[in-house]
C-alpha cells in the first residue's frame, strides 16, 4: 500500500517536470505590429507597438522612414503569461507616430532579424484626416476624403527673409525668421539657429508674435529679427534656419465619456509633447567689395548714412586745461564700423582716448583734448567719412572749426590735470648732483692744548673707586646691622667693651671718692656684665664658680683665671670688711680688671 | 704832561710790537689766516698756518678739518684722509667731516684696504659719535649709576623687582661701552694712515728688501714696532710688513 502511495508522488513530480520542461523548450517566436487606432487626425499622434512573442530580451529595433509620418521611440514593456500550463514571454516596443500629411498610408510590413531568423509583421493600413476624428463610423464627404490633401508642413513652417541679396562689405542687412503655425499647439519654442559663414550676424532680438493670413489660412506668426553684415567679399549662403519646438499632439484614442473630455484633456494630459525640428530654406547673398575710387584717406570703414554733430566746451581755457569734444553720429547703418571722427590737425594739442557710448541709431564720442599753447585760437575741423550705401559713394561729414580762447598756463592747473605718476616722469628728470668736499669751518672750535686723555688722569681714576668703596662699606654695614638684629649673642659680644667701659669709669669714680664698698660693687658688676656679654651667659648668675665650671674649658691662661679669682674674692671680702681695702689695693684691683678686659678682648673666639 | 706823552710813546713802542707778535702767533690768528689763504686758493699757505697751530700743541677738530680740506684741494688725498681721521678724534659726529671723509675716500684711484665686516661693527657704530674722553665720561656715568642702583637694591627691597631689569640693561650697556673704549684706547697711538701713493710693505726694514705688498693711499695700518726710519705695520687684512716712516702719518700725535 505504501509502495503505491510513493509511486503516486513520483508520478506527480514527473508530471510537473514535464510541464516545466515543455514551457522551457517550447519557444514559439512571433513578431506582430499593431497601432492603437487606424484613423487619426493631422496634428494628433498614434501609437505603434512592435511585439515579439517568445522573446525575453532584445534591443529596441530602429524603424525605417515611414511615408507620411515622423516617429519617435518612447519605451518598451515586457509581459509573461501562463495559459494551460504554457508559459509565454513577450516584449513590446512602443513608438509614437506623428502624421505629417493627410491620406491613406500603409505601415510596414516591418521585418526584423533575431538569432539568424527574419521575422516579418503584417502591414497596417492607416488613414490620416484633417479635423476631428469621430468615434462612431461616419461617412466622409468626398472633399474631405479625397480631393484636398493636408500636410503638416502647411500647418507649421519656418521662413527666412533677408533685406537684400546683394550688399557691400560691412553693410548692415536685416534678417527675419518667421515661424508660421496653423491650428497646432506648439510649446517650448527655442531661438532659431542659422548658418552664416562669411558674414557676421548680431544676436536675435526679442521675438514678436502676431497673426497673419496666408493662402486663406490664419497663422500664428512668431518673428525673430536681426541684422548681419558681410565680413569679406564673395557669395555666401545664409541659412537654412532651424528651430526646435515641442508639438503638443492630441491623444485621440483615450476619450472619456461625454462632457468630461475637454476638461480632462486640458488639465490631465490630453496632449503629448512631440519634439519637432522646423527648417527653413537657405538664402544666397553676394557681398560686394567697397570701391577704391573716391575713398577718403580718413575713411575707417563706416557703412551707412550718417550725420555728425559736434559740441565743444568750455570755450575759454588756460593752456593745459582740458576741452571736451562731444561728437554725436546719428543715422542708419552699421554702427559697429563707426569709429571716432578725426580732428583735422592735432598740432599744439594733447589728445586723450575718447569715451564711446552707443545707443539705438546714435553713437557718441567724448574726446578730451588739451590746447598746450596760448596762441591757439580754434579747435580744428572734425571730419567723419562714411560709405553711403544708398548712393554707393563715399561721403564726408564735417563740423567746426570751433573758436576758443586760450590763456597762459598756470602750474597749478597743470597739476590738476596731469596724473601724478605721469607728472613725475615728464617733469622730473633725474637730477645729477655735483660732488665736492664741504667748505672749511669758520671757527676754530673747542681748542685744547695737547694733554693726556681723561682716562689717564690719576684723580679721575681714583675718583672711580669712590662709589665702589662706598658700596663695599655700605654692604658691610648692612650685613652687620642685620646680624645685630638676628644674632643676640653677637650683639652682646659686640657691645661688651662699650658697656664694661662705662662700669669701669663708674668704679674709677668710686676709687677717687675712696668708697671701697661701692668701688668693689661696681667692679663686681662690671665683671658680671662683661663675662655675661662676652660668653653669652646670664650676667646675674656669674660668680666665682664660673672659673672652674666654664672658663677653664675655654683655654684661658691660668694666671688670668687666678687674677679673676682674686678679683671675685676681693669683691666678696669688701662686702663684709670694706675697711681693709685701701686706695692702693683698689687701684691694683682696677688695673687687674682693665688688663683682664684687654686680654678677653684680644682672645679669639 | 710832556712826561706823560713820552711814557705813552714808549709804551706803544715796546708794547704794541709785543701784542702784534702775540697776535700773529695765537692759534686763532693762525686759523683765520689759514682760512683767508684757503679762500684765496693759496692752499700751501693755509696748510702752513694750520700746521703752525698744531706745532704749538694746540688742536681742535676744526683745525684738523680745515687742514684736511686744504690738503685735499692741493691734491694730497692721503694727508687729507689722515687729518680727517685726526679731526674724528675731536668731532666724530660732525656731518661735514663725515661727508668730506667719505668723498675723499671715494676719490682715491685705488680703494684702501678695508676691514672685513664683523658683528663687532654694530657695537662700534654705537659709540662712533663719541670722542675717547666722551666715551670715558659716559662709561664713568654708567658705572656710577650701576653702583647707585646696586645700593638701592641692597637697602630698598621694595625696588628690587624693578631694579633687576634696569641693572641688567645698564650692565649690558656698560659692557658694550667698555669693549668700545678698550678698542679705542688699544689703537690710540698705534693707528696710522698711509699718505703716499707709493707705499710698499717690505719683508725687512731695508731699501733693497723684497716688496711683500703695496698699501693704497688712505689705508689705515696698525704700527707694531719701529726701527730707525722704518715702521713695522699691519694692514687691516692682517698682512704685516715694513714701511718707511715718510709714507705714513700717526693719527694720534
Amino acid at each position: 500500500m505504501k509502495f503505491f502511495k510513493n509511486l503516486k508522488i513520483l508520478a506527480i513530480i514527473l508530471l510537473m517536470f514535464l510541464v516545466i520542461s515543455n514551457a522551457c523548450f517550447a519557444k514559439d517566436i512571433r513578431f506582430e505590429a499593431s497601432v492603437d487606432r487606424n484613423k487619426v487626425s493631422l496634428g494628433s499622434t498614434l501609437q505603434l507597438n512592435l511585439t515579439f512573442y517568445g522573446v525575453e530580451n532584445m534591443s529596441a529595433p530602429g524603424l525605417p522612414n515611414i511615408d507620411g509620418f515622423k516617429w519617435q521611440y518612447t519605451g518598451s514593456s515586457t509581459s509573461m503569461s501562463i495559459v494551460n500550463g504554457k508559459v509565454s514571454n513577450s516584449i513590446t516596443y512602443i513608438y509614437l507616430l506623428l502624421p505629417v500629411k493627410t491620406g491613406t498610408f500603409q505601415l510596414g510590413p516591418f521585418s526584423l532579424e533575431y538569432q539568424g531568423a527574419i521575422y516579418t509583421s503584417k502591414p497596417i493600413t492607416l488613414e490620416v484626416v484633417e479635423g476631428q476624428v469621430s468615434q462612431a463610423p461616419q461617412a466622409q464627404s468626398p472633399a474631405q476624403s479625397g480631393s484636398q490633401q493636408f500636410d503638416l508642413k502647411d500647418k507649421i513652417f519656418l521662413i527666412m527673409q533677408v533685406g537684400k541679396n546683394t550688399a557691400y562689405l560691412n553693410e548692415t542687412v536685416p534678417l527675419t525668421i518667421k515661424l508660421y503655425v496653423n491650428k497646432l499647439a506648439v510649446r517650448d519654442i527655442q531661438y532659431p539657429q542659422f548658418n552664416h559663414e562669411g558674414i557676421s550676424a548680431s544676436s536675435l532680438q526679442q521675438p514678436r508674435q502676431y497673426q497673419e493670413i496666408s493662402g486663406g489660412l490664419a497663422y500664428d506668426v512668431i518673428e525673430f529679427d536681426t541684422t548681419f553684415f558681410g565680413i569679406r567679399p564673395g557669395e555666401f549662403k545664409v541659412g537654412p534656419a532651424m528651430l526646435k519646438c515641442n508639438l503638443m499632439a492630441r491623444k485621440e484614442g483615450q476619450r472619456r465619456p461625454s462632457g468630461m473630455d475637454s476638461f480632462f484633456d486640458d488639465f490631465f494630459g490630453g496632449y503629448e509633447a512631440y519634439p519637432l525640428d522646423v527648417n527653413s530654406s537657405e538664402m544666397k547673398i553676394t557681398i560686394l567689395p567697397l570701391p577704391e575710387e573716391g575713398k577718403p584717406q580718413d575713411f575707417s570703414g563706416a557703412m551707412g548714412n550718417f550725420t555728425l554733430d559736434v559740441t565743444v566746451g568750455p570755450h575759454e581755457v588756460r593752456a593745459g586745461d582740458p576741452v571736451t569734444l562731444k561728437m554725436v553720429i546719428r543715422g542708419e547703418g552699421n554702427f559697429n564700423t563707426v569709429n571716432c571722427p578725426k580732428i583735422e590737425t592735432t598740432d599744439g594739442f594733447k589728445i586723450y582716448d575718447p569715451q564711446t557710448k552707443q545707443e539705438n541709431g546714435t553713437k557718441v564720442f567724448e574726446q578730451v583734448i588739451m590746447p598746450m599753447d596760448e596762441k591757439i585760437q580754434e579747435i580744428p575741423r572734425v571730419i567723419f567719412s562714411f560709405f553711403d550705401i544708398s548712393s554707393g559713394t563715399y561721403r564726408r561729414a564735417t563740423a567746426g572749426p570751433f573758436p576758443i580762447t586760450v590763456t597762459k598756463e598756470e602750474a597749478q592747473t597743470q597739476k590738476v590735470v596731469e596724473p601724478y605718476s605721469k607728472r613725475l616722469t615728464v617733469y622730473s628728470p633725474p637730477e645729477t648732483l655735483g660732488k665736492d668736499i664741504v667748505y672749511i669751518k669758520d671757527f676754530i672750535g673747542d681748542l685744547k692744548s695737547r694733554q693726556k686723555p681723561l682716562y689717564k688722569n690719576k684723580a679721575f681714576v681714583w675718583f672711580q673707586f669712590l662709589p665702589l668703596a662706598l658700596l663695599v662699606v655700605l654692604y658691610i654695614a648692612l650685613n652687620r646691622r642685620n646680624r645685630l638684629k638676628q644674632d643676640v649673642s653677637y650683639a652682646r659680644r659686640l657691645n661688651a667693651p662699650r658697656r664694661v667701659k662705662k662700669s669701669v669709669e663708674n668704679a674709677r669714680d668710686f676709687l677717687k671718692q675712696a668708697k671701697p664698698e661701692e668701688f668693689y660693687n661696681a667692679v663686681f658688676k662690671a665683671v658680671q656684665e662683661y663675662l655675661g656679654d662676652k660668653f653669652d651667659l646670664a650676667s646675674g648668675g656669674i660668680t666665682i664658680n664660673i672659673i672652674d665650671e666654664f672658663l677653664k674649658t675655654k683655654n684661658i691662661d691660668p694666671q688670668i683665671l687666678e687674677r679673676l679669682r682674686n678679683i671675685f674674692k676681693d669683691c666678696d671680702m669688701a662686702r663684709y670688711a670694706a675697711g681693709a681695702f685701701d686706695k692702693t689695693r683698689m687701684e691694683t684691683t682696677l688695673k687687674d680688671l682693665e688688663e683682664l678686659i684687654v686680654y678677653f678682648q684680644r682672645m679669639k673666639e | 704832561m710832556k712826561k706823560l706823552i713820552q711814557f705813552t710813546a714808549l709804551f706803544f713802542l715796546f708794547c704794541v710790537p709785543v701784542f702784534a707778535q702775540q697776535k700773529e702767533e695765537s692759534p686763532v690768528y693762525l686759523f683765520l689766516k689759514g682760512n683767508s689763504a684757503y679762500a684765496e686758493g693759496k692752499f700751501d699757505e693755509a696748510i702752513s698756518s694750520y700746521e703752525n697751530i698744531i706745532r704749538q700743541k694746540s688742536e681742535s677738530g676744526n683745525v684738523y678739518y680745515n687742514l684736511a680740506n686744504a690738503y685735499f684741494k692741493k691734491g694730497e688725498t692721503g694727508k687729507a684722509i689722515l687729518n680727517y681721521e685726526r679731526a674724528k678724534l675731536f668731532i666724530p659726529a660732525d656731518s661735514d667731516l663725515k661727508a668730506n671723509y667719505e668723498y675723499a675716500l671715494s676719490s682715491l684711484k685705488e680703494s684702501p684696504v678695508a676691514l672685513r665686516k664683523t658683528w663687532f661693527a654694530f657695537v662700534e657704530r654705537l659709540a662712533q659719535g663719541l670722542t675717547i674722553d666722551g666715551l670715558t665720561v659716559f662709561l664713568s656715568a654708567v658705572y656710577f649709576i650701576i653702583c647707585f642702583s646696586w645700593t638701592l637694591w641692597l637697602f630698598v627691597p621694595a625696588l628690587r623687582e624693578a631694579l633687576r631689569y634696569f641693572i641688567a640693561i645698564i650692565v649690558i650697556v656698560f659692557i658694550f661701552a667698555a669693549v668700545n673704549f678698550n678698542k679705542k684706547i688699544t689703537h690710540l697711538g698705534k693707528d696710522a694712515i698711509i699718505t703716499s701713493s707709493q707705499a710698499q710693505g717690505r719683508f725687512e726694514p731695508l731699501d733693497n728688501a723684497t716688496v711683500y705688498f703695496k698699501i693704497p693711499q688712505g689705508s689705515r695700518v696698525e704700527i707694531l714696532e719701529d726701527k730707525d726710519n722704518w715702521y713695522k705695520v699691519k694692514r687691516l687684512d692682517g698682512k704685516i710688513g715694513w714701511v718707511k716712516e715718510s709714507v705714513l702719518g700717526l693719527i694720534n700725535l
Side-chain angles (χ1 to χ4, degrees):
Chain A
M1 198 61 189
K2 196 178 176 181
F3 171 73
F4 286 109
K5 193 177 177 182
N6 290 341
L7 198 66
K8 198 187 252 180
I9 292 166
L10 186 66
I12 290 166
I13 292 169
L14 277 171
L15 188 65
M16 285 182 72
F17 175 75
L18 283 171
V19 166
I20 292 166
S21 63
N22 187 36
C24 290
F25 294 106
K27 278 200 171 178
D28 180 16
I29 295 174
R30 286 184 295 118
F31 173 44
E32 286 181 2
S34 63
V35 289
D36 59 345
R37 59 190 185 278
N38 292 90
K39 196 172 184 179
V40 64
S41 63
L42 197 63
S44 302
T45 56
L46 76 157
Q47 189 175 309
L48 168 68
N49 299 326
L50 299 182
T51 309
F52 297 87
Y53 295 96
V55 173
E56 288 175 10
N57 192 15
M58 67 180 290
S59 58
L63 291 184
N65 285 333
I66 306 168
D67 181 35
F69 293 91
K70 286 173 181 281
W71 62 267
Q72 183 189 0
Y73 176 66
T74 58
S76 67
S77 69
T78 55
S79 67
M80 188 177 79
S81 61
I82 303 173
V83 180
N84 297 328
K86 189 178 179 182
V87 181
S88 63
N89 291 307
S90 69
I91 182 163
T92 304
Y93 296 98
I94 303 160
Y95 300 83
L96 204 61
L97 297 184
L98 179 76
V100 293
K101 58 188 176 187
T102 55
T104 305
F105 303 97
Q106 182 177 298
L107 296 182
F110 299 106
S111 293
L112 183 76
E113 186 180 345
Y114 177 70
Q115 292 183 342
I118 292 174
Y119 301 91
T120 305
S121 70
K122 289 175 182 174
I124 304 164
T125 304
L126 270 176
E127 189 182 355
V128 181
V129 296
E130 166 64 9
Q132 294 285 326
V133 177
S134 61
Q135 223 29 17
Q138 189 181 328
Q140 290 180 339
S141 66
Q144 278 181 319
S145 59
S147 64
Q148 191 177 4
Q149 190 169 0
F150 290 89
D151 198 321
L152 190 66
K153 284 180 181 171
D154 298 330
K155 295 173 82 65
I156 179 165
F157 54 89
L158 198 65
I159 287 178
M160 186 168 69
Q161 296 168 331
V162 292
K164 52 185 1 181
N165 292 324
T166 304
Y168 285 104
L169 198 69
N170 285 334
E171 181 188 346
T172 307
V173 180
L175 174 80
T176 308
I177 297 168
K178 293 179 181 174
L179 176 69
Y180 286 79
V181 182
N182 173 243
K183 292 180 183 174
L184 287 177
V186 181
R187 287 183 189 167
D188 308 327
I189 298 166
Q190 296 180 10
Y191 274 80
Q193 293 178 336
F194 61 98
N195 294 325
H196 49 85
E197 189 190 346
I199 63 166
S200 174
S202 308
S203 55
L204 293 162
Q205 294 170 11
Q206 191 73 20
R208 292 189 298 130
Q209 196 167 354
Y210 54 90
Q211 284 200 329
E212 189 180 310
I213 294 171
S214 174
L217 290 173
Y219 287 95
D220 291 318
V221 181
I222 299 171
E223 184 180 315
F224 301 90
D225 293 319
T226 186
T227 56
F228 70 88
F229 58 89
I231 52 177
R232 61 175 188 267
E235 282 199 353
F236 301 99
K237 285 179 186 172
V238 183
M242 191 192 75
L243 180 141
K244 287 181 184 288
C245 62
N246 280 333
L247 181 65
M248 305 311 289
R250 188 187 292 273
K251 293 180 185 175
E252 289 183 342
Q254 300 168 1
R255 299 183 76 84
R256 291 182 175 80
S258 62
M260 300 296 281
D261 276 357
S262 60
F263 179 82
F264 284 103
D265 284 353
D266 287 347
F267 291 97
F268 296 100
Y271 290 88
E272 193 160 11
Y274 185 91
L276 194 67
D277 292 344
V278 192
N279 295 311
S280 74
S281 56
E282 63 183 28
M283 309 289 293
K284 280 186 179 174
I285 184 155
T286 306
I287 303 295
L288 301 171
L290 292 176
E292 287 299 319
E293 190 185 345
K295 190 175 186 179
Q297 279 190 340
D298 58 298
F299 177 72
S300 61
M303 299 292 291
N305 193 3
F306 304 103
T307 60
L308 172 67
D309 185 19
V310 181
T311 52
V312 173
H315 293 278
E316 290 184 11
V317 289
R318 291 193 185 92
D321 274 3
V323 175
T324 306
L325 265 71
K326 187 174 182 182
M327 296 171 274
V328 184
I329 290 168
R330 295 189 184 89
E332 290 179 353
N334 187 354
F335 275 93
N336 290 329
T337 60
V338 173
N339 292 320
C340 185
K342 298 277 190 309
I343 298 168
E344 200 165 31
T345 172
T346 56
D347 292 345
F349 290 93
K350 185 172 271 185
I351 309 289
Y352 288 86
D353 289 338
Q355 301 273 322
T356 309
K357 198 162 64 180
Q358 188 173 343
E359 291 170 358
N360 279 342
T362 310
K363 196 162 188 177
V364 181
F365 298 93
E366 282 193 7
Q367 182 151 34
V368 173
I369 66 169
M370 212 181 271
M372 302 305 290
D373 194 338
E374 64 267 23
K375 291 173 187 167
I376 289 170
Q377 294 178 336
E378 60 178 27
I379 289 173
R381 272 197 316 165
V382 178
I383 301 165
F384 177 64
S385 294
F386 57 92
F387 185 74
D388 186 356
I389 297 158
S390 56
S391 64
T393 56
Y394 292 99
R395 285 178 57 194
R396 174 182 267 198
T398 60
F402 307 95
I404 56 163
T405 309
V406 182
T407 53
K408 205 173 180 184
E409 177 187 16
E410 277 186 15
Q412 193 93 27
T413 54
Q414 183 122 6
K415 278 179 189 169
V416 174
V417 176
E418 283 287 353
Y420 181 68
S421 57
K422 198 169 183 176
R423 201 170 68 235
L424 276 179
T425 53
V426 174
Y427 296 107
S428 302
E431 191 181 359
T432 310
L433 299 170
K435 281 187 174 179
D436 203 344
I437 54 169
V438 183
Y439 193 61
I440 52 169
K441 308 273 183 189
D442 290 331
F443 303 101
I444 198 164
D446 187 14
L447 191 70
K448 291 175 182 171
S449 15
R450 201 168 296 158
Q451 57 189 12
K452 283 181 183 175
L454 186 63
Y455 74 93
K456 286 188 176 174
N457 185 312
K458 281 183 183 172
F460 179 81
V461 173
W462 280 110
F463 182 64
Q464 303 307 305
F465 286 103
L466 187 68
L468 193 64
L470 204 65
L471 182 67
V472 170
V473 169
L474 286 171
Y475 180 73
I476 292 166
L478 181 71
N479 268 356
R480 186 171 162 170
R481 195 181 72 178
N482 289 341
R483 197 172 174 189
L484 284 172
K485 276 184 188 171
Q486 292 159 7
D487 191 347
V488 180
S489 63
Y490 171 76
R492 287 183 72 185
R493 196 163 60 245
L494 210 67
N495 288 327
R498 190 167 46 84
R499 289 180 68 190
V500 80
K501 195 177 175 185
K502 209 173 177 180
S503 300
V504 169
E505 289 301 318
N506 207 11
R508 198 184 302 281
D509 287 344
F510 289 124
L511 173 66
K512 284 177 185 171
Q513 294 166 22
K515 290 179 178 175
E517 191 174 351
E518 286 81 356
F519 170 80
Y520 280 102
N521 278 340
V523 168
F524 185 72
K525 192 182 173 191
V527 173
Q528 267 191 323
E529 279 177 358
Y530 182 75
L531 291 177
D533 288 345
K534 180 74 183 173
F535 298 106
D536 195 24
L537 301 168
S539 299
I542 291 176
T543 59
I544 193 168
N545 296 332
I546 194 171
I547 296 166
D548 297 322
E549 292 170 1
F550 180 76
L551 294 178
K552 275 188 176 174
T553 62
K554 291 288 176 183
N555 195 23
I556 296 169
D557 186 355
Q559 285 184 359
I560 295 293
L561 290 179
E562 193 56 39
R563 289 168 75 178
L564 182 61
R565 194 187 303 274
N566 290 337
I567 287 172
F568 273 118
K569 280 179 181 173
D570 287 352
C571 289
D572 283 343
M573 195 180 291
R575 283 176 202 154
Y576 309 107
F581 293 91
D582 57 3
K583 201 173 179 180
T584 311
R585 192 158 178 189
M586 282 195 287
E587 281 174 348
T588 309
T589 304
L590 188 62
K591 192 184 173 188
D592 281 350
L593 177 65
E594 285 173 338
E595 284 176 4
L596 280 172
I597 289 167
V598 170
Y599 175 84
F600 281 118
Q601 276 302 111
R602 287 176 180 173
M603 191 180 88
K604 287 180 182 175
E605 292 178 22
Chain B
M1 188 67 190
K2 200 177 178 182
K3 278 187 177 177
L4 182 66
I5 293 167
Q6 282 178 346
F7 177 76
T8 310
L10 278 172
F11 176 83
F12 277 100
L13 190 66
F14 290 104
C15 294
V16 170
V18 170
F19 284 140
Q21 185 69 18
Q22 279 181 352
K23 193 181 176 187
E24 199 173 294
E25 292 291 327
S26 81
V28 176
Y29 175 79
L30 288 169
F31 184 78
L32 295 174
K33 190 181 165 191
N35 283 6
S36 299
Y38 183 95
E40 290 167 16
K42 297 171 184 171
F43 300 117
D44 282 325
E45 273 183 38
I47 290 166
S48 170
S49 294
Y50 297 137
E51 286 189 335
N52 276 340
I53 300 172
I54 296 159
R55 263 184 225 110
Q56 288 179 16
K57 301 209 171 180
S58 291
E59 53 191 3
S60 79
N62 288 4
V63 171
Y64 283 119
Y65 171 87
N66 285 9
L67 177 60
N69 270 19
Y71 271 123
F72 185 81
K73 286 288 183 185
K74 196 187 166 191
E76 294 186 37
T77 313
K79 285 187 177 173
I81 291 169
L82 170 66
N83 284 290
Y84 284 134
E85 287 280 5
R86 286 171 176 167
K88 277 166 78 177
L89 295 174
F90 297 89
I91 46 171
D94 189 274
S95 56
D96 292 348
L97 171 61
K98 278 183 190 173
N100 285 5
Y101 176 68
E102 281 168 18
Y103 181 63
L105 282 178
S106 68
S107 66
L108 288 168
K109 286 178 188 170
E110 205 175 348
S111 295
V113 177
L115 187 64
R116 271 169 287 174
K117 284 188 177 178
T118 59
W119 65 273
F120 191 74
F122 164 73
V123 182
E124 275 186 325
R125 270 204 300 277
L126 294 176
Q128 69 182 5
L130 290 173
T131 59
I132 289 179
D133 281 356
L135 192 56
T136 307
V137 171
F138 177 77
L139 257 181
S140 176
V142 172
Y143 160 73
F144 269 68
I145 291 169
I146 290 171
C147 290
F148 180 70
S149 306
W150 200 351
T151 310
L152 277 180
W153 193 83
L154 285 173
F155 287 92
V156 191
L159 288 176
R160 282 183 185 178
E161 191 62 30
L163 282 170
R164 184 177 300 166
Y165 300 105
F166 177 73
I167 291 173
I169 290 165
I170 207 154
V171 164
I172 291 168
V173 171
F174 182 81
I175 290 167
F176 277 128
V179 170
N180 256 311
F181 176 75
N182 181 59
K183 190 166 167 41
K184 281 198 178 191
I185 62 167
T186 306
H187 286 267
L188 196 68
K190 289 184 180 175
D191 279 1
I193 297 292
I194 300 295
T195 54
S196 166
S197 56
Q198 307 292 327
Q200 292 172 326
R202 295 177 187 272
F203 282 95
E204 296 169 288
L206 300 168
D207 283 326
N208 57 357
T210 309
V211 173
Y212 178 31
F213 52 78
K214 283 184 179 178
I215 316 180
Q217 191 178 201
S219 294
R220 183 189 278 258
V221 290
E222 185 187 347
I223 293 170
L224 302 175
E225 61 176 279
D226 62 301
K227 187 176 183 182
D228 301 328
N229 293 326
W230 292 82
Y231 279 121
K232 189 180 183 183
V233 298
K234 184 162 87 171
R235 255 175 24 173
L236 290 180
D237 61 356
K239 288 190 170 60
I240 295 172
W242 289 90
V243 296
K244 275 192 167 178
E245 187 186 19
S246 57
V247 303
L248 55 74
L250 276 169
I251 292 174
N252 190 45
L253 293 171

